[in-house]
Every structure is written in structure tokens, then in C-alpha cells.
Amino acid sequence: MSTTFVLNGQSATLDADPTMPRLWALREIAGLHGTKFGCGMALCGACTVHLDGQAVRSCVLPLSAVAGRQITTIEGLQSKQAKAVQAAWVALQVPQCGYCQSGQIMSATALLEKNSAPTDADIDGAMSGNICRCATYPRIRAAIHNAAKAAQA
């Protein structure tokens, strides 16, 4: 069965079982490998993508749930906030192992696209579902603050 939606700004139709988790549809059918599999239970955040601008976990929602909607993956980030987040991640050397980073960047970008000057509490709330096994949380928070300032400039 085919599911049609907007993927990274372009119309996409994927021919797959509508109950397939969209993570696997994105990785295996669309060939977008930036979104990672972590826990498979929407607990770690490695699989975070944007659905209609909201940061959501892609490992548990079926492909059928995205019909007619907009999905943005790490490969499709284009906003001023996204570019500022990615630059801050590099400047502050946020990643260690890097596995969780696409999910972290997706959540941080969604936050800054809605809140241009987040407080520490705002950041903690938005990022609470993203686990970093390397515990780079202080650098993540600092990078988000830096990205917020850069995106406002």
C-alpha cells in the first residue's frame, strides 16, 4: 500500500505496509540513514524527526500516520535555527560518540523554531526525551543557547 506525504520539502510516496514504523520506512525505503534506531520504544530520542514542525519519535508511529503530512529528517533541516544549531554543535564540540546527535539536533531545532530565547528550563523540557549516553548535556545546553543567539543575529 502506498503512503504519500511531504518528505524534506518534496512530495514522497512510499510503497510499504502502512503499519511499518516510519523510522524503518525512512531508513530502508527512502534511504535516509541520518535518523537512528535507539530503543524502539520512543524513550531515547535517537529517532527524532519533525512531523508538521513538531519533534516526534519515529520508531513507534506507523507510516499510515504521516499520510498527507510533512516529515523533516536531519537531512532536510534548512531553517536559520537549524543551521545555527548545527554550527553551535560543531563549535562547542558537542558530540562524543555522536549516535544520539541527529535526534538531539532535531529536538533543539524544533525548540528554537518555536522559542527564540529559551531558558535553561525550556531547554531541559524540550530535550528531556533525548538520552545521551556520553552525558554531553552541559555542552548541548550551551550549544542551544549559542544557537539561539546566532539565529537572532
Side-chain angles (χ1 to χ4, degrees):
M1 178 174 218
S2 295
T3 303
T4 300
F5 56 99
V6 177
L7 177 59
N8 294 334
Q10 297 184 4
S11 180
T13 300
L14 300 183
D15 188 23
D17 181 339
T19 64
M20 173 185 266
R22 67 184 157 192
L23 169 64
W24 298 118
L26 292 170
R27 290 182 58 80
E28 303 303 324
I29 299 171
L32 299 172
H33 298 113
T35 305
K36 304 298 183 198
F37 174 78
C39 66
M41 298 182 293
L43 299 172
C44 73
C47 67
T48 303
V49 298
H50 293 175
L51 176 62
D52 296 332
Q54 298 284 341
V56 297
R57 306 304 182 247
S58 65
C59 68
V60 294
L61 280 173
L63 185 58
S64 62
V66 303
R69 300 177 79 184
Q70 294 186 16
I71 294 279
T72 304
T73 67
I74 189 81
E75 294 91 345
L77 287 180
Q78 298 295 321
S79 70
K80 181 178 183 179
Q81 295 87 349
K83 291 177 183 190
V85 167
Q86 291 169 333
W89 246 243
V90 172
L92 294 180
Q93 300 178 12
V94 171
Q96 284 186 24
C97 81
Y99 195 82
C100 69
Q101 295 308 304
S102 62
Q104 300 278 1
I105 289 169
M106 295 302 291
S107 291
T109 298
L111 168 64
L112 293 183
E113 287 175 350
K114 289 178 182 42
N115 181 348
S116 63
T119 64
D120 283 348
D122 295 332
I123 292 169
D124 292 348
M127 303 303 290
S128 67
N130 293 81
I131 297 172
C132 176
R133 295 179 106 187
C134 302
T136 64
Y137 301 113
R139 285 187 285 187
I140 290 169
R141 183 187 289 156
I144 293 171
H145 282 300
N146 286 5
K149 290 176 190 163
Q152 291 176 358

